[in-house]
């Protein structure tokens, strides 16, 4: 695990329909320490997914720099694991093969990489599902696989792009609790993108409110861990923090 | 005769109960029965429309003399050789066109132009170039098989979600690995569809080619029978075509489809 530094990051592209240049991300700077959990929250179209795609190297940035452990990002790489909103599991691979995919690409031997995959599947209680295909699993189970597939490759930074946006509300709460538990156990460096203010406050050490491609404010979340919804639902501090972030995001 | 049929029927019922797949033969029973009744009623002269039993008898004698097995083998080998090359050339070309915008711009118009020149339309010039042999037949079949394979492969490659490419990239897959791990399996259900279309067109092209340039094969058998005025053998040839296609589809193509696209949840059952 390593730290992540973003300096004056910006993204401008030409919009052929409007006929003008559009700036989706405007001079964003951010420092994520090793083992930190940072949430970026903002409404649709605020540029949060664009930021994540640039960190992942899926799209090029047009200004500033992104450094992972001091090294500049040039295209996608195994040092940055990604969890997608649409899960993006390989439909033609079993759950076990999906989780073992990263180690396989690194050239880890079959016995070894399957052992790794089994360990990570046990972490999300999916040992039973190892031999099944993704299409045979529920959305919540698929995203558990998505999370451990990224983790099993031991990336320096874990990038999560609204990973729980397409599962139902109850499953989402369970997944959020599981994620905090896994994070405490493995302590990966995480950047978590979401539009859900409560989710951001629940998960993060720090919440970054974003609007129209600019950072509005950074808020430290000093809630104790382990966190659970049962404890935090009526917690005064949680409510205060969520209220503040919500106000920021809505007022912009 | 009546007793034999009854016994035969009883046998069929027991067989179907044991192997349900024989149930797929059932739809043909009324068709054969109708055919049999029409010929028994002598609505058309026997020479023009022989009955099922005569066709079965002709089948027996052609198998006995060894003509039918030899012709059948010739036709199947030709189709297999042509299909092999159609796939071997079509899938890589389809992947190239699916992945590269530049290749698409350069080759798409050519592809459509040559697709318009039907397979049989090539026969006159192919006969001049290659004569009446396997080469001519193979070229025609490759030509027929390749278009549906290429077009469907392109569709399959382009309809694979970009997130799967991205997932593979951020898990450390090289471009070559992505080709094998994402592009090819992602396109496979469409490739099978293309193969199914390609084979069915190829099969028809083969028969047509055999009729024109053949010296053996099922198409030649039928054309030869026409020359000698044997309607029985023409009918036999037609029936064999139908049965063979059914076998290719249900023993080769359908199992591939079940093991891939359906199993992965990419195609509905």
């Amino acid at each position: 695990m390593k730290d992540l530094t973003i300096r004056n990051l910006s993204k401008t592209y030409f919009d052929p329909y409007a006929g003008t240049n559009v700036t989706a991300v405007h001079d964003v700077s951010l420092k994520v320490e090793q083992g930190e959990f940072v949430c970026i929250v903002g409404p649709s179209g605020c540029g949060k997914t664009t930021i994540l795609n640039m960190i992942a190297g899926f799209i090029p940035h047009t200004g500033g720099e992104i450094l992972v452990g001091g090294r500049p990002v040039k295209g996608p790489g195994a040092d940055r694991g990604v969890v997608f909103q649409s899960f993006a599991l390989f439909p033609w691979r079993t759950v076990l093969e999906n989780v073992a995919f990263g180690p396989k690409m690194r050239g880890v031997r079959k016995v070894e990489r399957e052992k790794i995959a089994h360990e990570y599947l046990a972490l999300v209680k999916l040992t039973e599902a190892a031999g099944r295909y993704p299409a045979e699993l529920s959305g919540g189970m698929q995203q558990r696989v998505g999370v451990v597939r990224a983790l099993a490759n031991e990336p320096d930074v874990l990038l999560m792009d609204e990973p729980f946006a397409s599962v139902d509300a109850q499953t989402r709460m369970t997944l959020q609790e599981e994620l905090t538990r896994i994070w405490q156990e493995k302590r990966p460096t995480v950047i978590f993108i979401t539009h859900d203010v409560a989710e951001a406050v629940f998960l993060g050490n720090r919440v970054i409110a974003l609007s129209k491609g600019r950072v509005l404010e950074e808020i430290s979340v000093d809630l104790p861990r382990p966190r659970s919804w049962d404890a935090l639902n009526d917690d005064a501090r949680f409510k205060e923090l969520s209220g503040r972030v919500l106000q920021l995001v809505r007022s912009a | 005769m009546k007793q034999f049929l009854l016994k035969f029927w009883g046998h069929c019922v027991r067989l179907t109960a044991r192997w349900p797949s024989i149930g797929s033969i059932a739809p043909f029973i009324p068709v054969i029965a109708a055919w049999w009744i029409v010929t028994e009623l002598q609505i058309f002269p026997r020479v023009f429309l022989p009955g099922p039993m005569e066709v079965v008898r002709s089948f027996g004698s052609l198998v006995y003399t060894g003509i039918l097995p030899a012709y059948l083998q010739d036709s199947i080998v030709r189709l297999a050789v042509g299909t092999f090359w159609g796939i071997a050339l079509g899938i890589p070309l389809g992947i190239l066109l699916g992945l590269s915008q530049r290749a698409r711009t350069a080759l798409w118009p050519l592809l459509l132009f040559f697709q318009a020149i039907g397979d049989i339309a090539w026969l006159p010039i192919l006969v001049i170039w290659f004569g009446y042999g396997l080469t001519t037949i193979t070229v025609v079949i490759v030509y027929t098989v390749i278009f549906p394979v290429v077009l469907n492969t392109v569709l399959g490659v382009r309809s694979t979600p970009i997130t799967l490419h991205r997932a593979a990239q951020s898990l450390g897959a090289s471009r070559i690995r992505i080709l094998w791990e994402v592009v090819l399996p992602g396109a496979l259900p469409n490739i099978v569809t293309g193969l199914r279309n390609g084979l069915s067109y190829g099969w028809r092209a083969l028969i047509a080619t055999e009729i024109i340039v053949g010296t053996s094969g099922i198409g030649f058998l039928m054309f030869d029978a026409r020359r000698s005025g044997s309607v029985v053998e023409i009918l036999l040839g037609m029936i064999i075509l139908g049965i063979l296609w059914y076998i290719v589809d249900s023993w080769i193509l359908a199992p591939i489809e079940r093991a891939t696209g359906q199993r992965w949840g990419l195609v509905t059952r």
Side-chain angles (χ1 to χ4, degrees), chain A residues 88-93 98 101 104-105 149, chain B residues 95 99 156-171 173-189 191 264 266:
Chain A
L89 301 176
F90 305 118
W92 39 85
R93 293 277 177 217
N98 262 285
F101 190 89
K104 184 182 180 184
M105 294 304 116
R149 179 179 67 174
Chain B
I95 286 176
L99 289 178
V157 170
R158 299 193 70 192
S159 57
T160 306
I162 183 139
T163 49
L164 290 183
H165 287 255
R166 290 178 167 179
Q169 282 179 318
S170 59
L171 287 166
S174 62
R175 296 187 79 160
I176 308 262
R177 295 303 288 262
I178 288 174
L179 204 62
W180 184 250
E181 297 279 353
V182 177
V183 176
L184 204 57
L188 200 57
I191 292 176
W264 303 336
L266 297 176

Side-chain angles (χ1 to χ4, degrees), chain A residues 11-148:
Chain A
K11 174 73 182 177
T12 307
Y13 62 90
F14 181 74
D15 184 346
Y17 298 105
T20 52
N21 282 322
V22 178
T23 304
V25 176
H26 217 103
D27 204 23
V28 169
S29 293
L30 175 67
K31 173 108 175 113
V32 183
E33 297 300 334
Q34 184 174 327
E36 201 185 3
F37 198 129
V38 170
C39 295
I40 299 178
V41 65
S44 334
C46 74
K48 55 190 192 301
T49 296
T50 309
I51 292 177
L52 185 121
N53 282 338
M54 287 190 286
I55 301 172
F58 298 147
I59 56 173
H61 50 275
T62 48
E65 57 181 351
I66 305 167
L67 305 166
V68 176
R71 282 220 319 271
V73 162
K74 290 185 195 111
D79 55 336
R80 284 147 291 140
V82 183
V83 181
F84 298 85
Q85 183 183 347
S86 59
F87 316 145
L89 301 176
F90 305 118
W92 39 85
R93 293 277 177 217
T94 62
V95 166
L96 188 75
E97 288 165 342
N98 262 285
V99 180
F101 190 89
K104 184 182 180 184
M105 294 304 116
R106 280 206 311 270
V108 177
R109 280 181 37 240
K110 193 176 163 104
V111 183
E112 189 61 29
R113 67 175 185 252
E114 287 190 348
K115 204 182 126 228
I116 296 171
H118 274 300
E119 274 168 28
Y120 276 93
L121 283 174
L123 200 64
V124 286
K125 300 177 190 71
L126 277 177
T127 305
E128 305 289 308
R132 286 158 76 184
Y133 284 92
E136 298 165 341
L137 306 182
S138 70
M141 287 160 96
Q142 288 192 42
Q143 195 55 301
R144 284 184 179 92
V145 177
V147 171
V148 292

